Amino acid sequence: MSEGEKQSTNCSENLPCLNVAKDEAENCRDRCWRVTRMDVLEEFQQPDAPSLCVIFAAWLHEGLCLASSVLTSRIAEMQQSSTEIIVTCSLDGPLIAFDLSSGRPLLRFIDSPSPRKGLAFVGNDLIAVAHTSAGTGSGLINLHNWRSSTPVNQILMPVPVAPLAATSDGLHLFSGDISGRINTIFLPSGDLKRSATIHQKPVSCLEIIKEGSLLISGGDDGVLAVIPVWTLVSEESGGDLVPQVWQRLVGHAAPVTAITSGIGGGNCTVISSSLDMTCKFWNLLHGKALKTVAFPCVIYTVAMDSYESHFYAAGSDGAVYKGAMKAAGRTLRGRGQKVKPLSQKHNGPVTGIEMIRGKFLVSASEDGSIWIWDVEAEQVIMVLGQDTGSITSMIAGKLDNNGGCDRGKRKVDKGGFCGCDMSLSGSLTAKAVAETIELENMLKEAENERKRSVDTLEAAVTMYEKMLELILKEAKCHCQAIEGNRDREDDNKGY
C-alpha cells in the first residue's frame, strides 16, 4: 500500500464521519464543485499529499463561498423588487402613497377623506379607508387598489366607522363604530358577517398582533378588549356566535388613542396610549399593566422598535418622545419612567408614527408634514409632504412591483418580525387559539383546585389541632384523676 493510501486509510479510520462527507461531496460533484474520486486518489498519491481533512475543508470553504454568493444575489434581488412606502390620509386632502427611498408620491387616491385610524392594508392589493357620508351621515368604507385612483368598491355601514384592521389573507376586515361594536366584513363581497358590542362607548382603535391570532380593540371607555380572531371570523352558528373576549385591560382614565404590540402571541407586550396623557404597558397573558409612563401632553400614537428595546410616542405638542422598554436586561416596572423628546418638533399634533427597517422612524402631523428620522442619531434625515392636507392616519408597508413601478402586480407586505408574515391562517388560527384558551382555562381550574385543596388541608389541620388540644386536655384530666385516686389509696393504707 502506498504512503498516500495509508495516509488516506489512517485519516478515514480516525475520522469516520469524514467518509460520509466525502461521499456527499462525490454525489454533487457535477452540480457544484466537480470533484471526482479519481481526483482525490491522485492527490493522495502525491508525495506531499494533503490529508482528507484539508481537502474537505477546501471543499467546504468553496461551497460556503458559493452559498454566500447566491444569498447575496438573492438579497439584492429582494431589495430591488420591493419598495418601502407609507400611505397617508386626511379629512381635507387626498390619500397619498409615498416612496420612502425617493420621497416622491407614487399614487393619489381621490374622494377618500378619513378620520383617525381609518386606514388599513387589505391583503396584497387593497387599501381600506373609512369615510362618513356627508349626505346621510352613515358609515362608508372605500376599497382602493394600486391600479386605480378611484375606489373599486364601497361598503355601506349603518353607522359611522373609524378604526380599521384586516386579516393577513385579506378575507376579513374589522371596523369599529360609534356604538361600541366591532363589525366583521367578508371580502371581496363586502357583506357584514358579524357585529358584536364590545365597548360601552365608541371604538377608537384596532390592532391585530403580529401572529394574527388576536384582535385588540381600544375604546372611549378607556378599556382594551382582547378577542380571538377565530371567534370573529368563524362560520359556526353564522352571525349568532358572540365573540369571546379573552381579556379586558382596565386602567386608562380617558379614551384609548392607539395600540401597538410586540411578538410573542398571547404573551406579547402591548403598549396603549390615551387622552389621559399616559402610555401603559400590558402583558396579555396575565391581563395586568406592567408600568405606566406619564407625558406632558396628550398621546395620539405609539410604536416600538423590532427589538422591543425602545418605544416612541407622540401627540398634541408635536414632539416625538423616546423611552426605554428595558433596563439592564430587566423590564422596567411601576411609574416614574423617564422619556425624552427628539430634537425637532412638528408645528402641529403628531397623528401617526411607524418604524421602518428597525432603525428609521416616520412621523406624520396634522400640519401636513412627514418626517423620516434616524433614531440612533435622533435627527430628521428626510422631509416629505406636499398638498397632503391635515394628516389623520398613516400606515407603512412594502410595495412589491415586479417589472417596474408602473407595471406588474403590486403587493403590500404588512410586515411582521424581520419582515416575515408570522400570522396563522383559517382553521389553524382557530384551532391554535381554541387550544390556547382551553389550556388557559385548564391551568386556571388547576390553580383554583390547588387553592381549594390547600384551604381544605388548612381547615383539616386546624380541626386536628383542636381535636389534639381536647385529647390532651382530657388526657391531662384523666392523669390528674388517677393521681388523685392513688393519693387517696395511700392515705387509706396509712390509717
Side-chain angles (χ1 to χ4, degrees):
M1 182 181 295
S2 64
E3 292 297 325
E5 291 174 345
K6 290 180 180 180
Q7 184 176 356
S8 173
T9 302
N10 292 336
C11 183
S12 299
E13 290 176 353
N14 294 332
L15 296 172
C17 61
L18 290 180
N19 288 326
V20 178
K22 183 179 70 173
D23 293 337
E24 292 178 353
E26 291 169 356
N27 291 335
C28 64
R29 61 184 180 275
D30 294 329
R31 288 177 293 150
C32 46
W33 302 313
R34 300 185 182 280
V35 177
T36 65
R37 186 176 181 86
M38 292 303 298
D39 295 331
V40 177
L41 292 177
E42 289 177 1
E43 287 291 333
F44 284 146
Q45 291 173 357
Q46 301 298 323
D48 56 346
S51 67
L52 183 58
C53 297
V54 175
I55 290 182
F56 180 71
W59 292 346
L60 182 60
H61 174 71
E62 186 176 354
L64 290 174
C65 290
L66 178 62
S68 177
S69 176
V70 172
L71 182 60
T72 302
S73 63
R74 290 288 176 84
I75 292 175
E77 291 174 1
M78 291 173 60
Q79 291 175 340
Q80 293 174 0
S81 62
S82 64
T83 302
E84 289 181 318
I85 64 167
I86 59 168
V87 180
T88 63
C89 64
S90 68
L91 287 173
D92 52 3
L95 185 72
I96 304 178
F98 290 93
D99 179 355
L100 289 183
S101 60
S102 64
R104 65 183 180 87
L106 291 177
L107 286 173
R108 290 175 181 265
F109 305 93
I110 61 175
D111 298 330
S112 288
S114 176
R116 289 181 181 171
K117 310 299 179 184
L119 195 59
F121 289 125
V122 180
N124 295 328
D125 299 311
L126 299 176
I127 301 176
V129 187
H131 175 57
T132 301
S133 174
T136 63
S138 60
L140 185 67
I141 299 176
N142 290 335
L143 294 179
H144 296 268
N145 65 20
W146 299 104
R147 295 173 291 277
S148 174
S149 60
T150 58
V152 296
N153 192 9
Q154 290 186 329
I155 304 172
L156 296 177
M157 305 297 295
V159 296
V161 296
L164 300 176
T167 56
S168 60
D169 56 12
L171 295 180
H172 295 91
L173 177 67
F174 306 119
S175 67
D177 63 32
I178 61 174
S179 63
R181 301 176 72 86
I182 293 180
N183 309 294
T184 302
I185 302 167
F186 183 73
L187 298 177
S189 66
D191 296 334
L192 182 61
K193 187 173 184 177
R194 183 171 287 109
S195 183
T197 301
I198 303 298
H199 294 271
Q200 298 177 357
K201 293 183 178 181
V203 181
S204 55
C205 48
L206 296 174
E207 166 81 1
I208 298 179
I209 67 171
K210 297 290 190 299
E211 288 76 8
S213 57
L214 298 172
L215 174 71
I216 308 173
S217 64
D220 285 357
D221 54 6
V223 176
L224 279 73
V226 184
I227 310 165
V229 170
W230 73 272
T231 65
L232 294 167
V233 304
S234 175
E235 299 290 345
E236 297 180 5
S237 302
D240 297 331
L241 179 65
V242 178
Q244 179 179 357
V245 177
W246 181 46
Q247 295 277 16
R248 286 193 180 274
L249 310 179
V250 181
H252 284 295
V256 179
T257 56
I259 303 170
T260 189
S261 60
I263 62 172
N267 196 33
C268 69
T269 297
V270 172
I271 307 177
S272 61
S273 61
S274 170
L275 293 182
D276 63 8
M277 302 169 63
T278 68
C279 283
K280 288 186 179 293
F281 290 68
W282 309 85
N283 180 272
L284 290 189
L285 185 61
H286 300 96
K288 297 181 180 179
L290 300 176
K291 66 177 179 178
T292 299
V293 181
F295 291 85
C297 68
V298 170
I299 299 300
Y300 294 136
T301 180
V302 65
M304 68 176 77
D305 61 24
S306 57
Y307 298 104
E308 299 185 24
S309 59
H310 292 87
F311 74 99
Y312 302 86
S316 59
D317 65 355
V320 178
Y321 294 88
K322 178 181 180 180
M325 294 179 63
K326 297 180 180 180
R330 303 177 68 179
T331 303
L332 294 172
R333 296 177 179 269
R335 302 185 67 92
Q337 166 75 10
K338 292 184 178 180
V339 294
K340 65 175 183 178
L342 301 186
S343 57
Q344 296 173 256
K345 293 176 64 173
H346 289 273
N347 293 326
V350 178
T351 54
I353 53 177
E354 293 282 350
M355 289 298 302
I356 303 293
R357 303 180 196 170
K359 61 180 180 180
F360 299 107
L361 183 77
V362 184
S363 60
S365 170
E366 284 187 0
D367 64 10
S369 63
I370 304 169
W371 293 352
I372 302 178
W373 301 76
D374 183 333
V375 294
E376 294 182 358
E378 299 183 1
Q379 297 291 330
V380 176
I381 59 175
M382 184 182 295
V383 177
L384 310 178
Q386 50 184 358
D387 301 327
T388 58
S390 178
I391 298 175
T392 56
S393 296
M394 177 180 66
I395 53 177
K398 291 181 180 179
L399 190 64
D400 185 4
N401 44 5
N402 296 322
C405 230
D406 298 326
R407 294 173 296 159
K409 182 178 180 181
R410 302 181 179 188
K411 296 182 180 180
V412 174
D413 177 13
K414 292 193 296 183
F417 182 58
C418 297
C420 300
D421 185 2
M422 298 178 66
S423 61
L424 299 175
S425 61
S427 61
L428 291 179
T429 301
K431 183 178 179 181
V433 175
E435 290 178 350
T436 301
I437 294 176
E438 183 180 359
L439 181 59
E440 293 273 344
N441 294 333
M442 291 174 61
L443 290 175
K444 290 180 180 179
E445 183 62 29
E447 179 68 17
N448 293 334
E449 185 65 28
R450 188 185 70 84
K451 290 181 180 179
R452 287 194 293 267
S453 300
V454 171
D455 294 340
T456 303
L457 181 61
E458 290 179 348
V461 170
T462 302
M463 182 181 67
Y464 289 148
E465 287 179 346
K466 291 182 178 179
M467 290 179 62
L468 182 60
E469 289 178 358
L470 292 174
I471 292 173
L472 291 175
K473 185 177 181 180
E474 188 171 342
K476 185 176 180 181
C477 293
H478 183 67
C479 291
Q480 291 176 350
I482 293 175
E483 290 294 332
N485 291 333
R486 287 178 178 175
D487 291 341
R488 285 195 294 273
E489 290 178 356
D490 292 341
D491 292 341
N492 292 332
K493 290 179 180 179
Y495 291 111

